[in-house]
Amino acid sequence: MADFDVDLFVIGAGSGGTRAARIAAGHGARVMIAEEDRIGGTCVVRGCVPKKLYVYASRFADDFADAAGFGWTLGEARFDWGTLRDAVAREVTRLSGLYRKGLEGAGVAVRTERAVVAGPHEVRLAGGDTVRARHILVATGGYPAFDPPIPGGELGISSNEVFHLPSLPKRMLVVGGGYIALEFASVFARLGVTVTVLHRGDNILRGFDEDIRTRLRDALAHAGITLRLGCTVERIELLEDGVRRAHCASGAPIDAEVILVATGRRPNTVGLGLAEAGVALGPVGEVIVDANSATAVHSIHAVGDVTNRINLTPVAIREGHAFADSTFGGKPWTVDHHLVASAVFTTPEIGTVGLSEQQARAAGHELRIFETGFRPMKATISGREERIYMKLVVDAQSDRMLGVHILGHDAGEIIQAVAIAVSMGATKADFDRTIALHPSAAEELVTMRTPRAG
Ligand code: FAD
């Protein structure tokens, strides 16, 4: 293919793009990747990684308080925002450097500039170069969208900026009821900020199991977060002293130093030249792909958030890997998008895999529901008012485990292991046969005997 400069041009060095580039290069392909921001993408730079580090930081206050019940005497605890922010920023820089090294070590040519599609086999770089590629992979991810637009919305910040706040505000408004909004609400409330969540829906976390949604809502309220549900923010205004004021369609206006707008994300396809090249886009600008991540143009594929399938890092990575193996490794395979476990790193956190009770009923399953709620052992002595909730959604006819939902400490860690069993087709009898590990919270998953009545 002498008339192509590279075998693969990857646009976007995030989770999906870097994996695809490295694997393709490992299969012997000549690969170039372009990144307009920092190598590593959303997850590493302004998503999962810095967020989880903030979550850890936010949970120390509970640990200090709990320690007293176990006999510890600690000095006065003080938190310094700048120390945390800068330490997290350094870790992000370290990781971004590792991502670059990984690419270069695999023989991938890295260009740190914006790239757009100029034709089925052509990519144009912001610096003016044009590269002819046998294959193009679009892995441009998504961006925070103020959706619907709020007049005065520019007075708010998105999740991109929240990692760089110059100081910790006294009060924060979080607009949105999805996982990103709630994770930040939980983090900042635990760091001592007075947090109010403004959400237009009548409950948080649309799409999650109803029992989990309601219990998390109550737990967040118990943790001191004010939840104003059914509140559509109509406009934001700036007051004299730099304070922002949010006006809801109903109820009193509410003031804060920082307003975080986390109302959703959109695929990053604006100005990318895709439609002009013949690639079909969906209603929110997502690249339409088939099971092989192929677009309507045979030489252009797309993976990750830009396709708006399941917007999670491990999914983007898997899609990038499958594309590279299939196209350059002679090993075609596709990603199974069913039974992807996910977590919400609020405190308490959620771990979930499979169908919610409502989704399972809507799909026509006759169900047996097992649930338990209990106080974890640690809370008996710490005195913390804390509970763990678990729910098993079981198909009554086949006994198959359709969904597992956990709210409480370490739910994310637990659900990853449970997902293996569920994706192997485990039945309730398989869970019952498994001997409990005592004393643990997770043992409750294998000791629920009686289905919920009704
Ligand atoms: P990205 O990682 O977004 O990478 C796309 C890259 O393309 C970006 O670096 C961008 O700068 C670059 N780019 C875009 N356009 C161009 C262009 N024209 N030219 C050159 N470069 C371009 N997922 C989880 O699994 N767990 C979590 O806990 C989690 N937490 C999250 C928390 C937050 C606050 C956010 C915002 C997201 C979180 N996610 C989480 C989602 C996760 O970050 C994404 O699913 C994942 O990063 C998607 O990978 P990607 O490769 O599709 O895109």
Side-chain angles (χ1 to χ4, degrees):
M1 291 293 171
D3 57 340
F4 292 120
D5 302 314
V6 293
D7 299 311
L8 173 64
F9 196 107
V10 181
I11 307 181
S15 307
T18 48
R19 173 59 67 97
R22 283 181 39 219
I23 299 297
H27 288 311
R30 294 167 302 156
V31 184
M32 185 178 281
I33 192 166
E35 171 55 56
E36 67 177 348
D37 198 303
R38 296 177 73 188
I39 309 279
T42 304
C43 182
V44 171
V45 179
R46 58 194 90 85
C48 340
V49 171
K51 181 239 0 231
K52 187 77 186 279
L53 292 170
Y54 279 20
V55 169
Y56 286 128
S58 75
R59 290 178 178 168
F60 279 103
D62 286 0
D63 291 341
F64 298 148
D66 290 354
F70 289 88
W72 290 90
T73 304
L74 302 175
E76 188 201 342
R78 258 175 299 145
F79 171 70
D80 182 62
W81 166 253
T83 303
L84 171 67
R85 182 198 55 208
D86 297 348
V88 170
R90 280 194 299 277
E91 175 58 8
V92 165
T93 299
R94 189 185 73 85
L95 286 174
S96 179
L98 284 182
Y99 267 73
R100 177 187 276 275
K101 260 196 199 147
L103 285 166
E104 290 173 346
V108 176
V110 180
R111 304 290 294 259
T112 36
E113 55 191 311
R114 181 171 167 81
V116 297
V117 172
H121 291 286
E122 214 164 85
V123 174
R124 201 170 46 247
L125 288 156
D129 288 351
T130 297
V131 179
R132 284 192 43 80
R134 188 151 63 100
H135 295 275
I136 296 170
L137 181 68
V138 179
T140 51
Y143 65 94
F146 288 17
D147 188 24
I150 304 166
E154 69 283 355
L155 294 166
I157 60 168
S158 75
S159 61
N160 289 350
E161 292 78 46
V162 79
F163 296 108
H164 310 290
L165 289 175
S167 58
L168 202 59
K170 274 207 202 75
R171 297 163 296 178
M172 180 184 273
L173 302 184
V174 179
V175 185
Y179 86 94
I180 292 175
L182 299 174
E183 287 177 339
F184 284 118
S186 193
V187 161
F188 282 97
R190 286 188 130 68
L191 294 179
V193 178
T194 301
V195 175
T196 304
V197 172
L198 307 174
H199 176 47
R200 63 183 170 175
D202 59 1
N203 200 357
I204 56 174
L205 283 184
R206 185 159 54 92
F208 282 70
D209 188 273
E210 289 297 329
D211 283 304
I212 295 280
R213 296 174 77 188
T214 304
R215 281 174 170 79
L216 178 65
R217 184 193 67 199
D218 295 347
L220 293 179
H222 186 258
I225 297 172
T226 303
L227 292 147
R228 276 181 59 176
L229 301 174
C231 159
T232 302
V233 178
E234 290 198 315
R235 69 187 167 93
I236 299 173
E237 67 172 322
L238 184 61
L239 305 184
E240 267 172 14
D241 46 2
V243 170
R244 276 88 172 129
R245 174 165 289 176
H247 295 266
C248 288
S250 60
I254 174 155
D255 297 348
E257 287 71 35
V258 170
I259 301 185
L260 169 63
V261 182
T263 45
R265 292 177 63 80
R266 285 282 166 97
N268 231 336
T269 51
V270 178
L272 210 55
L274 290 170
E276 295 81 345
V279 173
L281 300 179
V284 293
E286 75 275 22
V287 179
I288 307 279
V289 288
D290 66 13
N292 298 303
S293 297
T295 73
V297 177
H298 77 282
S299 55
I300 303 181
H301 287 68
V303 295
D305 285 11
V306 75
T307 63
N308 204 23
R309 285 176 279 183
I310 299 178
N311 297 333
L312 292 172
T313 285
V315 177
I317 290 173
R318 195 59 75 89
E319 290 167 358
H321 201 132
F323 158 76
D325 274 353
S326 305
T327 309
F328 300 102
K331 292 185 280 188
W333 59 282
T334 56
V335 177
D336 181 358
H337 288 91
H338 295 103
L339 297 174
V340 176
S342 69
V344 178
F345 293 105
T346 43
T347 304
E349 69 185 39
I350 294 174
T352 175
V353 64
L355 300 179
S356 68
E357 180 182 345
Q358 297 71 38
Q359 288 164 341
R361 285 198 199 286
H365 292 278
E366 193 192 318
L367 298 179
R368 286 190 302 147
I369 301 292
F370 296 82
E371 58 183 352
T372 179
F374 57 96
R375 197 172 187 206
M377 184 190 266
K378 189 176 166 197
T380 56
I381 286 194
S382 70
R384 180 166 299 283
E385 253 189 65
E386 180 190 338
R387 296 191 65 78
I388 295 183
Y389 173 75
M390 295 176 176
K391 181 188 229 183
L392 306 179
V393 180
V394 180
D395 182 77
Q397 264 155 19
S398 65
D399 197 40
R400 214 158 142 170
M401 197 65 70
L402 299 174
V404 178
H405 309 275
I406 304 172
L407 175 72
H409 195 67
D410 279 343
E413 301 291 339
I414 297 169
I415 208 71
Q416 176 66 89
V418 173
I420 301 170
V422 174
S423 70
M424 289 173 74
T427 59
K428 177 67 169 63
D430 292 324
F431 273 52
D432 293 345
R433 205 174 41 248
T434 305
I435 294 179
L437 186 152
H438 184 74
S440 68
E443 68 182 302
E444 298 283 336
L445 287 169
V446 297
T447 55
M448 286 183 243
R449 293 279 173 263
T450 314
R452 190 179 69 195

